[in-house]
Amino acid sequence: MTETRRSITTTCKSFFTLLTVFMMIAVMLLGIPGKAEAHAELERASPEANTRLDGTPEDVELTFNESIESQVGSLEVLDSRSNSVTSNEPVTSQDRKSLKLQLPKLGEGVYTVAYQVISADGHPISGSYVFMIGNPPEGVDASAFDPHQALGHEGHSASTQLSTGQFILYAVRIAYYAALLFAVGLVFWSVLVRKRSTLIEETMKKWEQLAMRALLVSALLYVFIHSREILKDYPSSEYSRLFLSTSIGHLWIGLLVLAVIGFAVLRFSRPFKLIWAAAILGVESWSGHAVVFKPKLLTVLLDFIHLA
């Protein structure tokens, strides 16, 4: 028994040494200035921003650099009184990178294009711009027209400082990934290490339960905070569409189901544990930035290997 305790103590010391080294490297990497990770953004718009047209455009079409979720979001064209000019629904292109809204005949005036969409990797994209038709009586120059002021969005200027909401989102995300890797790591360990003493077996069971609880709580917080961030300016009715009609929503549901199943999996045999670990890492790999790159299957596979 004494030798077993010494072995556990040595293993724990080695583990915490490696963890300390890892944290030091992570802090160093975070301290290195570099280019911020780019998210989806508007790549092209028709009509273009701040243009003056002689007549009504057939439609408004926005093209993004990444795929977008077609079931959640909005594209509106507003007149100078902030009234929508059409009740038509926007249509997503086959490659899910473009959004098109058919327009009726419009008179002279200043028009604002306002959009709110969600990228395939779960990031909100919103913005607005103006275009003019003819020479409206108000004579506003489109290049000087402020759509944010017209829509009542003053004060939304870009900031390099981390807001409280962003800090909470990043903190929850870090906690979620730590819990995910810790829980899956323990499952892998329980599968790979076949010969264990009674003390190690009891210790493993205790930590596995704690890891699964941490995973479930952090996953719930992660999905809750992230979905609120995505739908910050959306009506509450959009939540059901987010979870039931989008790929990111389906993946979140799958994640939460697997987190709950994890408690039962601990009692199963090794093959079931491996299947569970592969499934939850697969869900996480498919719900991140990897899905927006091509070839998608390869980038998702590399992300899976990275997590594993």
Side-chain angles (χ1 to χ4, degrees), residues 129-262:
Y129 70 88
V130 301
F131 67 89
M132 295 184 67
I133 296 178
N135 296 293
E138 57 268 33
V140 179
D141 183 5
S143 62
F145 192 79
D146 185 359
H148 292 285
Q149 184 178 1
L151 297 174
H153 292 167
E154 301 96 332
H156 287 192
S157 56
S159 173
T160 57
Q161 294 183 348
L162 194 65
S163 66
T164 303
Q166 289 174 324
F167 176 80
I168 293 174
L169 177 63
Y170 290 140
V172 169
R173 187 177 296 174
I174 290 171
Y176 160 68
Y177 280 111
L180 173 68
L181 298 180
F182 185 50
V184 175
L186 284 178
V187 171
F188 277 143
W189 191 13
S190 68
V191 171
L192 297 176
V193 181
R194 294 177 178 273
K195 294 181 179 180
R196 298 193 294 261
S197 67
T198 304
L199 181 59
I200 293 179
E201 187 74 30
E202 293 176 354
T203 304
M204 283 288 296
K205 288 181 179 180
K206 177 182 177 182
W207 279 104
E208 284 174 347
Q209 288 290 333
L210 290 172
M212 288 301 172
R213 291 172 189 171
L215 174 60
L216 179 57
V217 172
S218 62
L220 285 168
L221 283 173
Y222 173 72
V223 172
F224 174 72
I225 297 296
H226 202 166
S227 60
R228 284 194 63 185
E229 180 69 18
I230 288 177
L231 297 179
K232 184 168 52 179
D233 297 321
Y234 288 80
S236 57
S237 59
E238 291 292 284
Y239 279 92
S240 60
R241 295 177 65 182
L242 173 65
F243 284 97
L244 299 178
S245 303
T246 68
S247 57
I248 188 67
H250 295 161
L251 289 167
W252 282 345
I253 292 174
L255 170 65
L256 295 177
V257 170
L258 287 169
V260 173
I261 293 175

Side-chain angles (χ1 to χ4, degrees), residues 237-306:
S237 59
E238 291 292 284
Y239 279 92
S240 60
R241 295 177 65 182
L242 173 65
F243 284 97
L244 299 178
S245 303
T246 68
S247 57
I248 188 67
H250 295 161
L251 289 167
W252 282 345
I253 292 174
L255 170 65
L256 295 177
V257 170
L258 287 169
V260 173
I261 293 175
F263 292 95
V265 168
L266 296 178
R267 303 177 183 178
F268 294 169
S269 59
R270 289 183 173 87
F272 286 102
K273 289 183 176 181
L274 281 177
I275 291 172
W276 176 86
I280 198 165
L281 288 184
V283 167
E284 178 54 41
S285 301
W286 206 272
S287 62
H289 292 287
V291 296
V292 301
F293 297 103
K294 294 183 179 181
K296 183 187 295 185
L297 187 60
L298 177 61
T299 58
V300 170
L301 177 61
L302 291 174
D303 193 24
F304 177 89
I305 294 172
H306 165 70

Side-chain angles (χ1 to χ4, degrees), residues 44 60-68 70 75 90-100:
R44 187 172 63 256
V60 169
E61 184 173 10
L62 306 181
T63 303
F64 302 89
N65 63 334
E66 295 179 6
S67 300
I68 59 174
S70 58
L75 171 59
V91 179
T92 309
S93 63
Q94 191 172 1
D95 63 0
R96 293 172 54 196
K97 287 188 175 183
S98 296
L99 203 59
K100 183 182 290 187

